[in-house]
Amino acid sequence: MDATDRRLMHATQAGLPLTLEPYQTLAEQLGLSKEEVMQRLAAMQADGIIRRIGAVPNHYKLGYRFNGMTVWDVPDEQIDRLGQQVGQLPFVSHCYHRPRHLPDWPYNLFAMVHGKHQQDVDAQIQHIAAVLGEWCRGREVLYSTKILKKTGFRSGQ
């Protein structure tokens, strides 16, 4: 990383500018071309310096008051296939495999769902249960009560 990359990282650590053309706005702020901003971000992503560039919505502000992390106990040998199926459901915002912590925590498949009403989330959970079918050996839902983190890495430089 050179000094320009560090300036770009610092300028984006709170997120991209909320403008119609965020890369152009960054370019103007940093005295670069839009293409150079995009190339540098792509290179940092390819090098693993930054993981991803994506939107992080505030579900509460969008009216989604019922946010539940569903956790499922499915056979480990089926986790990849089942995780793909659950992760592709349009109402699942993120889905991933996590290690079990037996005997207290048997769950290995996590899927986040959101709804404006409790019955929306209940229907989504039933849909996931139907997708998992006979492979589902147990489940829980952990409901969010507040947003704990909505930021990435912060550098003081």
Side-chain angles (χ1 to χ4, degrees), residues 111-138:
M112 190 72 186
V113 297
H114 310 276
K116 292 186 177 184
H117 307 282
Q118 181 68 53
Q119 59 265 33
D120 298 338
V121 173
D122 292 342
Q124 293 168 355
I125 294 166
Q126 292 306 316
H127 190 124
I128 294 172
V131 168
L132 297 176
E134 66 180 311
W135 301 112
C136 178
R137 301 184 297 206

PDB file of all heavy atoms in Angstrom, residues 111-138:
ATOM      1  N   ALA A 111     -28.679 -18.544   9.675  1.00  0.00           N
ATOM      2  CA  ALA A 111     -29.318 -17.785   8.594  1.00  0.00           C
ATOM      3  C   ALA A 111     -30.086 -16.608   9.201  1.00  0.00           C
ATOM      4  O   ALA A 111     -30.960 -16.810  10.045  1.00  0.00           O
ATOM      5  CB  ALA A 111     -30.257 -18.678   7.786  1.00  0.00           C
ATOM      6  N   MET A 112     -29.760 -15.407   8.762  1.00  0.00           N
ATOM      7  CA  MET A 112     -30.406 -14.197   9.274  1.00  0.00           C
ATOM      8  C   MET A 112     -31.629 -13.867   8.437  1.00  0.00           C
ATOM      9  O   MET A 112     -31.564 -13.857   7.214  1.00  0.00           O
ATOM     10  CB  MET A 112     -29.417 -13.027   9.232  1.00  0.00           C
ATOM     11  CG  MET A 112     -29.894 -11.806   9.942  1.00  0.00           C
ATOM     12  SD  MET A 112     -29.842 -12.071  11.730  1.00  0.00           S
ATOM     13  CE  MET A 112     -30.607 -10.569  12.297  1.00  0.00           C
ATOM     14  N   VAL A 113     -32.761 -13.603   9.129  1.00  0.00           N
ATOM     15  CA  VAL A 113     -34.002 -13.232   8.454  1.00  0.00           C
ATOM     16  C   VAL A 113     -34.526 -11.928   9.055  1.00  0.00           C
ATOM     17  O   VAL A 113     -34.217 -11.586  10.198  1.00  0.00           O
ATOM     18  CB  VAL A 113     -35.063 -14.350   8.551  1.00  0.00           C
ATOM     19  CG1 VAL A 113     -34.593 -15.613   7.845  1.00  0.00           C
ATOM     20  CG2 VAL A 113     -35.404 -14.660  10.002  1.00  0.00           C
ATOM     21  N   HIS A 114     -35.330 -11.220   8.272  1.00  0.00           N
ATOM     22  CA  HIS A 114     -35.850  -9.914   8.678  1.00  0.00           C
ATOM     23  C   HIS A 114     -37.309  -9.808   8.265  1.00  0.00           C
ATOM     24  O   HIS A 114     -37.692 -10.280   7.199  1.00  0.00           O
ATOM     25  CB  HIS A 114     -35.070  -8.787   8.004  1.00  0.00           C
ATOM     26  CG  HIS A 114     -33.590  -8.915   8.132  1.00  0.00           C
ATOM     27  ND1 HIS A 114     -32.913  -8.466   9.235  1.00  0.00           N
ATOM     28  CD2 HIS A 114     -32.667  -9.479   7.320  1.00  0.00           C
ATOM     29  CE1 HIS A 114     -31.628  -8.731   9.080  1.00  0.00           C
ATOM     30  NE2 HIS A 114     -31.453  -9.353   7.933  1.00  0.00           N
ATOM     31  N   GLY A 115     -38.108  -9.154   9.099  1.00  0.00           N
ATOM     32  CA  GLY A 115     -39.501  -8.931   8.747  1.00  0.00           C
ATOM     33  C   GLY A 115     -40.043  -7.687   9.426  1.00  0.00           C
ATOM     34  O   GLY A 115     -39.560  -7.267  10.473  1.00  0.00           O
ATOM     35  N   LYS A 116     -41.061  -7.120   8.802  1.00  0.00           N
ATOM     36  CA  LYS A 116     -41.709  -5.952   9.401  1.00  0.00           C
ATOM     37  C   LYS A 116     -42.674  -6.380  10.499  1.00  0.00           C
ATOM     38  O   LYS A 116     -43.029  -5.584  11.355  1.00  0.00           O
ATOM     39  CB  LYS A 116     -42.421  -5.140   8.325  1.00  0.00           C
ATOM     40  CG  LYS A 116     -41.440  -4.480   7.371  1.00  0.00           C
ATOM     41  CD  LYS A 116     -42.122  -3.562   6.389  1.00  0.00           C
ATOM     42  CE  LYS A 116     -41.064  -2.878   5.528  1.00  0.00           C
ATOM     43  NZ  LYS A 116     -41.636  -1.908   4.604  1.00  0.00           N
ATOM     44  N   HIS A 117     -43.096  -7.638  10.462  1.00  0.00           N
ATOM     45  CA  HIS A 117     -44.044  -8.168  11.447  1.00  0.00           C
ATOM     46  C   HIS A 117     -43.563  -9.544  11.905  1.00  0.00           C
ATOM     47  O   HIS A 117     -42.900 -10.262  11.156  1.00  0.00           O
ATOM     48  CB  HIS A 117     -45.440  -8.285  10.832  1.00  0.00           C
ATOM     49  CG  HIS A 117     -45.913  -7.016  10.211  1.00  0.00           C
ATOM     50  ND1 HIS A 117     -46.395  -5.961  10.944  1.00  0.00           N
ATOM     51  CD2 HIS A 117     -45.957  -6.617   8.919  1.00  0.00           C
ATOM     52  CE1 HIS A 117     -46.719  -4.973  10.139  1.00  0.00           C
ATOM     53  NE2 HIS A 117     -46.452  -5.333   8.902  1.00  0.00           N
ATOM     54  N   GLN A 118     -43.913  -9.898  13.109  1.00  0.00           N
ATOM     55  CA  GLN A 118     -43.520 -11.193  13.663  1.00  0.00           C
ATOM     56  C   GLN A 118     -43.979 -12.342  12.766  1.00  0.00           C
ATOM     57  O   GLN A 118     -43.230 -13.294  12.540  1.00  0.00           O
ATOM     58  CB  GLN A 118     -44.106 -11.366  15.072  1.00  0.00           C
ATOM     59  CG  GLN A 118     -43.734 -12.687  15.730  1.00  0.00           C
ATOM     60  CD  GLN A 118     -42.265 -12.785  16.069  1.00  0.00           C
ATOM     61  OE1 GLN A 118     -41.735 -11.908  16.729  1.00  0.00           O
ATOM     62  NE2 GLN A 118     -41.600 -13.834  15.624  1.00  0.00           N
ATOM     63  N   GLN A 119     -45.193 -12.235  12.227  1.00  0.00           N
ATOM     64  CA  GLN A 119     -45.695 -13.338  11.392  1.00  0.00           C
ATOM     65  C   GLN A 119     -44.883 -13.486  10.098  1.00  0.00           C
ATOM     66  O   GLN A 119     -44.779 -14.581   9.555  1.00  0.00           O
ATOM     67  CB  GLN A 119     -47.190 -13.203  11.093  1.00  0.00           C
ATOM     68  CG  GLN A 119     -47.599 -11.950  10.378  1.00  0.00           C
ATOM     69  CD  GLN A 119     -48.061 -10.849  11.307  1.00  0.00           C
ATOM     70  OE1 GLN A 119     -47.572 -10.705  12.424  1.00  0.00           O
ATOM     71  NE2 GLN A 119     -49.001 -10.055  10.849  1.00  0.00           N
ATOM     72  N   ASP A 120     -44.255 -12.388   9.620  1.00  0.00           N
ATOM     73  CA  ASP A 120     -43.377 -12.487   8.448  1.00  0.00           C
ATOM     74  C   ASP A 120     -42.185 -13.386   8.766  1.00  0.00           C
ATOM     75  O   ASP A 120     -41.830 -14.277   7.995  1.00  0.00           O
ATOM     76  CB  ASP A 120     -42.851 -11.113   8.033  1.00  0.00           C
ATOM     77  CG  ASP A 120     -43.942 -10.147   7.610  1.00  0.00           C
ATOM     78  OD1 ASP A 120     -45.039 -10.598   7.226  1.00  0.00           O
ATOM     79  OD2 ASP A 120     -43.695  -8.920   7.684  1.00  0.00           O
ATOM     80  N   VAL A 121     -41.565 -13.118   9.904  1.00  0.00           N
ATOM     81  CA  VAL A 121     -40.391 -13.901  10.306  1.00  0.00           C
ATOM     82  C   VAL A 121     -40.790 -15.343  10.591  1.00  0.00           C
ATOM     83  O   VAL A 121     -40.091 -16.282  10.197  1.00  0.00           O
ATOM     84  CB  VAL A 121     -39.691 -13.245  11.516  1.00  0.00           C
ATOM     85  CG1 VAL A 121     -38.576 -14.122  12.053  1.00  0.00           C
ATOM     86  CG2 VAL A 121     -39.141 -11.877  11.126  1.00  0.00           C
ATOM     87  N   ASP A 122     -41.931 -15.533  11.240  1.00  0.00           N
ATOM     88  CA  ASP A 122     -42.396 -16.896  11.512  1.00  0.00           C
ATOM     89  C   ASP A 122     -42.573 -17.685  10.215  1.00  0.00           C
ATOM     90  O   ASP A 122     -42.177 -18.852  10.126  1.00  0.00           O
ATOM     91  CB  ASP A 122     -43.713 -16.873  12.288  1.00  0.00           C
ATOM     92  CG  ASP A 122     -43.563 -16.348  13.704  1.00  0.00           C
ATOM     93  OD1 ASP A 122     -42.429 -16.317  14.230  1.00  0.00           O
ATOM     94  OD2 ASP A 122     -44.596 -15.962  14.289  1.00  0.00           O
ATOM     95  N   ALA A 123     -43.124 -17.037   9.196  1.00  0.00           N
ATOM     96  CA  ALA A 123     -43.324 -17.705   7.896  1.00  0.00           C
ATOM     97  C   ALA A 123     -41.983 -18.027   7.241  1.00  0.00           C
ATOM     98  O   ALA A 123     -41.813 -19.102   6.646  1.00  0.00           O
ATOM     99  CB  ALA A 123     -44.177 -16.837   6.981  1.00  0.00           C
ATOM    100  N   GLN A 124     -41.026 -17.112   7.371  1.00  0.00           N
ATOM    101  CA  GLN A 124     -39.705 -17.357   6.800  1.00  0.00           C
ATOM    102  C   GLN A 124     -39.024 -18.545   7.486  1.00  0.00           C
ATOM    103  O   GLN A 124     -38.406 -19.386   6.825  1.00  0.00           O
ATOM    104  CB  GLN A 124     -38.837 -16.101   6.926  1.00  0.00           C
ATOM    105  CG  GLN A 124     -39.330 -14.950   6.072  1.00  0.00           C
ATOM    106  CD  GLN A 124     -38.655 -13.642   6.419  1.00  0.00           C
ATOM    107  OE1 GLN A 124     -37.875 -13.548   7.372  1.00  0.00           O
ATOM    108  NE2 GLN A 124     -38.944 -12.609   5.645  1.00  0.00           N
ATOM    109  N   ILE A 125     -39.161 -18.611   8.797  1.00  0.00           N
ATOM    110  CA  ILE A 125     -38.558 -19.720   9.549  1.00  0.00           C
ATOM    111  C   ILE A 125     -39.190 -21.043   9.127  1.00  0.00           C
ATOM    112  O   ILE A 125     -38.487 -22.047   8.937  1.00  0.00           O
ATOM    113  CB  ILE A 125     -38.699 -19.469  11.067  1.00  0.00           C
ATOM    114  CG1 ILE A 125     -37.857 -18.253  11.472  1.00  0.00           C
ATOM    115  CG2 ILE A 125     -38.305 -20.710  11.860  1.00  0.00           C
ATOM    116  CD1 ILE A 125     -38.164 -17.710  12.852  1.00  0.00           C
ATOM    117  N   GLN A 126     -40.492 -21.051   8.943  1.00  0.00           N
ATOM    118  CA  GLN A 126     -41.166 -22.269   8.481  1.00  0.00           C
ATOM    119  C   GLN A 126     -40.689 -22.666   7.084  1.00  0.00           C
ATOM    120  O   GLN A 126     -40.539 -23.848   6.785  1.00  0.00           O
ATOM    121  CB  GLN A 126     -42.686 -22.088   8.514  1.00  0.00           C
ATOM    122  CG  GLN A 126     -43.259 -21.983   9.903  1.00  0.00           C
ATOM    123  CD  GLN A 126     -42.862 -23.159  10.789  1.00  0.00           C
ATOM    124  OE1 GLN A 126     -42.894 -24.317  10.391  1.00  0.00           O
ATOM    125  NE2 GLN A 126     -42.440 -22.864  12.013  1.00  0.00           N
ATOM    126  N   HIS A 127     -40.451 -21.663   6.250  1.00  0.00           N
ATOM    127  CA  HIS A 127     -39.958 -21.939   4.898  1.00  0.00           C
ATOM    128  C   HIS A 127     -38.567 -22.583   4.962  1.00  0.00           C
ATOM    129  O   HIS A 127     -38.297 -23.564   4.255  1.00  0.00           O
ATOM    130  CB  HIS A 127     -39.917 -20.641   4.090  1.00  0.00           C
ATOM    131  CG  HIS A 127     -39.662 -20.849   2.632  1.00  0.00           C
ATOM    132  ND1 HIS A 127     -40.493 -20.392   1.659  1.00  0.00           N
ATOM    133  CD2 HIS A 127     -38.652 -21.472   1.972  1.00  0.00           C
ATOM    134  CE1 HIS A 127     -40.024 -20.713   0.469  1.00  0.00           C
ATOM    135  NE2 HIS A 127     -38.896 -21.372   0.636  1.00  0.00           N
ATOM    136  N   ILE A 128     -37.686 -22.040   5.800  1.00  0.00           N
ATOM    137  CA  ILE A 128     -36.349 -22.634   5.952  1.00  0.00           C
ATOM    138  C   ILE A 128     -36.472 -24.063   6.479  1.00  0.00           C
ATOM    139  O   ILE A 128     -35.798 -24.973   5.983  1.00  0.00           O
ATOM    140  CB  ILE A 128     -35.460 -21.790   6.891  1.00  0.00           C
ATOM    141  CG1 ILE A 128     -35.174 -20.419   6.269  1.00  0.00           C
ATOM    142  CG2 ILE A 128     -34.147 -22.527   7.197  1.00  0.00           C
ATOM    143  CD1 ILE A 128     -34.473 -19.450   7.200  1.00  0.00           C
ATOM    144  N   ALA A 129     -37.350 -24.270   7.455  1.00  0.00           N
ATOM    145  CA  ALA A 129     -37.552 -25.617   8.001  1.00  0.00           C
ATOM    146  C   ALA A 129     -38.003 -26.577   6.906  1.00  0.00           C
ATOM    147  O   ALA A 129     -37.552 -27.733   6.857  1.00  0.00           O
ATOM    148  CB  ALA A 129     -38.562 -25.576   9.143  1.00  0.00           C
ATOM    149  N   ALA A 130     -38.860 -26.103   6.000  1.00  0.00           N
ATOM    150  CA  ALA A 130     -39.322 -26.955   4.900  1.00  0.00           C
ATOM    151  C   ALA A 130     -38.172 -27.272   3.942  1.00  0.00           C
ATOM    152  O   ALA A 130     -38.064 -28.402   3.449  1.00  0.00           O
ATOM    153  CB  ALA A 130     -40.472 -26.277   4.151  1.00  0.00           C
ATOM    154  N   VAL A 131     -37.305 -26.303   3.677  1.00  0.00           N
ATOM    155  CA  VAL A 131     -36.146 -26.541   2.814  1.00  0.00           C
ATOM    156  C   VAL A 131     -35.226 -27.582   3.449  1.00  0.00           C
ATOM    157  O   VAL A 131     -34.726 -28.485   2.782  1.00  0.00           O
ATOM    158  CB  VAL A 131     -35.382 -25.221   2.542  1.00  0.00           C
ATOM    159  CG1 VAL A 131     -34.024 -25.485   1.909  1.00  0.00           C
ATOM    160  CG2 VAL A 131     -36.212 -24.290   1.664  1.00  0.00           C
ATOM    161  N   LEU A 132     -34.998 -27.469   4.741  1.00  0.00           N
ATOM    162  CA  LEU A 132     -34.105 -28.405   5.434  1.00  0.00           C
ATOM    163  C   LEU A 132     -34.740 -29.780   5.596  1.00  0.00           C
ATOM    164  O   LEU A 132     -34.037 -30.793   5.650  1.00  0.00           O
ATOM    165  CB  LEU A 132     -33.696 -27.840   6.790  1.00  0.00           C
ATOM    166  CG  LEU A 132     -32.892 -26.537   6.734  1.00  0.00           C
ATOM    167  CD1 LEU A 132     -32.623 -26.021   8.138  1.00  0.00           C
ATOM    168  CD2 LEU A 132     -31.600 -26.719   5.955  1.00  0.00           C
ATOM    169  N   GLY A 133     -36.069 -29.794   5.708  1.00  0.00           N
ATOM    170  CA  GLY A 133     -36.803 -31.054   5.783  1.00  0.00           C
ATOM    171  C   GLY A 133     -36.284 -32.006   6.833  1.00  0.00           C
ATOM    172  O   GLY A 133     -36.025 -31.617   7.976  1.00  0.00           O
ATOM    173  N   GLU A 134     -36.093 -33.238   6.440  1.00  0.00           N
ATOM    174  CA  GLU A 134     -35.674 -34.294   7.367  1.00  0.00           C
ATOM    175  C   GLU A 134     -34.282 -34.073   7.945  1.00  0.00           C
ATOM    176  O   GLU A 134     -33.923 -34.686   8.945  1.00  0.00           O
ATOM    177  CB  GLU A 134     -35.704 -35.646   6.657  1.00  0.00           C
ATOM    178  CG  GLU A 134     -34.676 -35.753   5.532  1.00  0.00           C
ATOM    179  CD  GLU A 134     -34.700 -37.086   4.822  1.00  0.00           C
ATOM    180  OE1 GLU A 134     -34.695 -38.132   5.501  1.00  0.00           O
ATOM    181  OE2 GLU A 134     -34.727 -37.063   3.574  1.00  0.00           O
ATOM    182  N   TRP A 135     -33.496 -33.186   7.319  1.00  0.00           N
ATOM    183  CA  TRP A 135     -32.144 -32.943   7.788  1.00  0.00           C
ATOM    184  C   TRP A 135     -32.100 -32.037   9.024  1.00  0.00           C
ATOM    185  O   TRP A 135     -31.064 -31.933   9.675  1.00  0.00           O
ATOM    186  CB  TRP A 135     -31.283 -32.348   6.685  1.00  0.00           C
ATOM    187  CG  TRP A 135     -31.196 -33.234   5.472  1.00  0.00           C
ATOM    188  CD1 TRP A 135     -31.731 -32.990   4.242  1.00  0.00           C
ATOM    189  CD2 TRP A 135     -30.557 -34.506   5.372  1.00  0.00           C
ATOM    190  NE1 TRP A 135     -31.462 -34.020   3.390  1.00  0.00           N
ATOM    191  CE2 TRP A 135     -30.737 -34.981   4.053  1.00  0.00           C
ATOM    192  CE3 TRP A 135     -29.842 -35.299   6.272  1.00  0.00           C
ATOM    193  CZ2 TRP A 135     -30.226 -36.191   3.616  1.00  0.00           C
ATOM    194  CZ3 TRP A 135     -29.345 -36.509   5.831  1.00  0.00           C
ATOM    195  CH2 TRP A 135     -29.540 -36.941   4.523  1.00  0.00           C
ATOM    196  N   CYS A 136     -33.211 -31.372   9.324  1.00  0.00           N
ATOM    197  CA  CYS A 136     -33.255 -30.472  10.479  1.00  0.00           C
ATOM    198  C   CYS A 136     -33.452 -31.286  11.752  1.00  0.00           C
ATOM    199  O   CYS A 136     -34.469 -31.939  11.943  1.00  0.00           O
ATOM    200  CB  CYS A 136     -34.388 -29.462  10.331  1.00  0.00           C
ATOM    201  SG  CYS A 136     -34.542 -28.368  11.755  1.00  0.00           S
ATOM    202  N   ARG A 137     -32.463 -31.219  12.651  1.00  0.00           N
ATOM    203  CA  ARG A 137     -32.528 -31.964  13.911  1.00  0.00           C
ATOM    204  C   ARG A 137     -32.829 -31.058  15.101  1.00  0.00           C
ATOM    205  O   ARG A 137     -33.023 -31.538  16.216  1.00  0.00           O
ATOM    206  CB  ARG A 137     -31.215 -32.703  14.135  1.00  0.00           C
ATOM    207  CG  ARG A 137     -30.902 -33.673  13.003  1.00  0.00           C
ATOM    208  CD  ARG A 137     -29.657 -34.472  13.244  1.00  0.00           C
ATOM    209  NE  ARG A 137     -28.481 -33.618  13.319  1.00  0.00           N
ATOM    210  CZ  ARG A 137     -27.240 -34.028  13.039  1.00  0.00           C
ATOM    211  NH1 ARG A 137     -27.023 -35.278  12.675  1.00  0.00           N
ATOM    212  NH2 ARG A 137     -26.225 -33.203  13.149  1.00  0.00           N
ATOM    213  N   GLY A 138     -32.841 -29.746  14.868  1.00  0.00           N
ATOM    214  CA  GLY A 138     -33.134 -28.795  15.934  1.00  0.00           C
ATOM    215  C   GLY A 138     -32.917 -27.384  15.432  1.00  0.00           C
ATOM    216  O   GLY A 138     -32.240 -27.163  14.429  1.00  0.00           O
TER     217      GLY A 138
END
